[in-house]
Amino acid sequence: MSENLSKGGGVRRQVVELVNRAEAIVEALEATAADGRWAMTAFSRYRLCELLKIMPYVRYDGEPGDDPVALLEEATGLVDQIDVPIEELSWRLALGDALRTAAADVRRVRDASDV
């Protein structure tokens, strides 16, 4: 599976960047929310970071004003462009699923806090 991380180089880097940005935004929201509701997104976000072999909960110095759901959805749209050999197709499918799940979890918590 480690080989697939180098395939699709530029596209994979874009996905990693988008996920890192979304992760940083959610981390900031989680740190400022007094009720701990953002912790409900931790499992899906951690699974996503595991698949990409990136460190979760890393400080990101970019623009925190972006919508984390939009960033995760953008990354989801790029997943099919990551070139992997047929025997590693399950990794790419799992990555797409993890992105969709994380986006849905973040959306659910974000929308519940807007009510």
Side-chain angles (χ1 to χ4, degrees), residues 6 12 22 25 38 47 52 58 75 95 115:
S6 62
R12 182 192 176 277
I25 293 164
W38 287 99
R47 176 178 171 231
L52 288 170
V58 173
L95 179 59
V115 175

Side-chain angles (χ1 to χ4, degrees), residues 4 78-84 88-97:
N4 61 22
L78 294 172
V79 168
D80 288 338
Q81 297 175 30
I82 298 175
D83 185 33
V84 295
E88 295 186 11
L89 186 58
S90 62
W91 172 84
R92 191 175 73 188
L93 294 171
L95 179 59
D97 179 63

